[in-house]
């Protein structure tokens, strides 16, 4: 997702205290940012934020961090978050945002600091020469392994069958992860779709008739 540059993005994001600016300084100390020791779950490529805003509201015992590399996109998520001020339930206190590239993850989180990683509708990068840029490639899996503890998990959803098949293969080949679940039609899979929260892309693509694929993986010892 890439929106046209939005001039106010810089100002809105810099004034929002939930957007953590000096994020590399928080490595190994994210519990102090949240003021508690609750587990940390992150979404990489959070887009406009619907999924994480909903998770944060439903699960106050988990701390959530949304990672998005484009400020124009993150702005949409932050504006949604700010509108919650007007709602009776208010803004969840267990949610932070980072404007950064996933490649920086090991500089931002220490070993085992993140319990779970969500990847939703990641960019497919269909050309073979761009395979390493896919967020489920071996290169990214080894970055994730550096911040997840043994037993930590990854959940990935997409409607793009070639990206999904590639991802299942990368996880299956990896010595760092075990594939723990997969479905080619999440919305018709009663077990895997339990408590499913739809992302913006998931709503759009499933309304267009595309089945949604999902895999789960566990970080090995
Ligand atoms: N998760 C949302 C958005 C999916 S679009 C949804 O399901 O609706 C994929 C998003 O990932 C885009 O907003 C894109 O900017 C972001 N993204 C892609 N590569 C990234 C990277 N390397 N680091 C951080 N964000 C990335």
């Amino acid at each position: 997702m890439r929106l046209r540059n939005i001039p106010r993005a810089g100002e809105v994001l810099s004034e929002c205290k939930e957007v953590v600016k000096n994020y590399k300084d928080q490595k190994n100390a994210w519990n102090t940012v949240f003021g508690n020791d609750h587990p940390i779950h992150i979404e990489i490529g959070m887009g406009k934020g619907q999924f994480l805003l909903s998770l944060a509201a439903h699960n106050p015992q988990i701390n959530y961090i949304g990672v998005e590399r484009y400020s124009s996109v993150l702005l949409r998520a932050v504006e949604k978050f700010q509108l919650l001020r007007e709602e009776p339930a208010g803004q969840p206190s267990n949610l932070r945002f980072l404007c950064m590239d996933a490649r920086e993850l090991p500089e931002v989180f220490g070993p085992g600091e993140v319990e779970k990683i969500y990847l939703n509708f990641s960019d497919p990068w269909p050309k073979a020469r761009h395979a390493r840029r896919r967020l489920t490639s071996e290169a990214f899996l080894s970055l994730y392994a550096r911040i997840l503890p043994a037993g930590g998990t990854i959940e990935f959803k997409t409607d793009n069958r070639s990206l999904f098949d590639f991802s299942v293969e990368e996880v299956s080949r990896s010595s760092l992860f075990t594939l723990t679940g997969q479905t080619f039609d999440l919305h018709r899979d009663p077990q895997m779709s339990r408590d499913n929260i739809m992302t913006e892309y998931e709503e759009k693509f499933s309304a267009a008739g595309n089945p949604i694929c999902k895999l789960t993986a566990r970080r090995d010892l």
Side-chain angles (χ1 to χ4, degrees), residues 158-184:
T158 183
D159 69 320
N160 185 306
R161 187 57 195 264
S162 352
L163 176 64
F164 188 70
D165 291 345
F166 166 85
S167 306
V168 167
E169 199 169 317
E170 293 291 275
V171 170
S172 305
R173 280 196 312 153
S174 168
S175 56
L176 302 167
F177 289 93
T178 300
L179 187 68
T180 49
Q182 63 172 311
T183 174
F184 299 106

Side-chain angles (χ1 to χ4, degrees), residues 1-2 43-51 67-70 73-74 98-104 118-123 125 133 135 140 144 157 198-203 205:
M1 185 185 306
R2 191 158 196 178
E43 182 184 10
I44 302 171
M46 76 173 314
K48 297 180 184 174
Q50 168 172 305
F51 175 80
V67 173
E68 170 54 53
R69 69 171 159 189
Y70 292 124
V73 180
L74 182 58
L98 304 181
C99 195
M100 58 167 257
D101 194 291
R103 274 178 289 219
E104 297 177 88
Y118 292 102
L119 298 166
N120 292 315
F121 299 82
S122 309
D123 300 345
W125 294 107
R133 299 186 190 175
L135 288 179
F140 276 103
Y144 306 151
K157 296 195 274 192
M198 299 247 259
T199 78
E200 277 93 351
Y201 275 40
E202 185 171 358
E203 283 185 348
F205 294 134

Side-chain angles (χ1 to χ4, degrees), residues 131-145:
R132 283 177 65 84
R133 299 186 190 175
R134 299 176 193 147
L135 288 179
T136 49
S137 66
E138 185 188 9
F140 276 103
L141 290 178
S142 59
L143 291 190
Y144 306 151

Side-chain angles (χ1 to χ4, degrees), residues 3 12-13 48 59 61 88 139 189 199:
L3 302 176
V12 173
L13 298 184
K48 297 180 184 174
N59 303 299
Q61 300 310 309
D189 185 318
T199 78

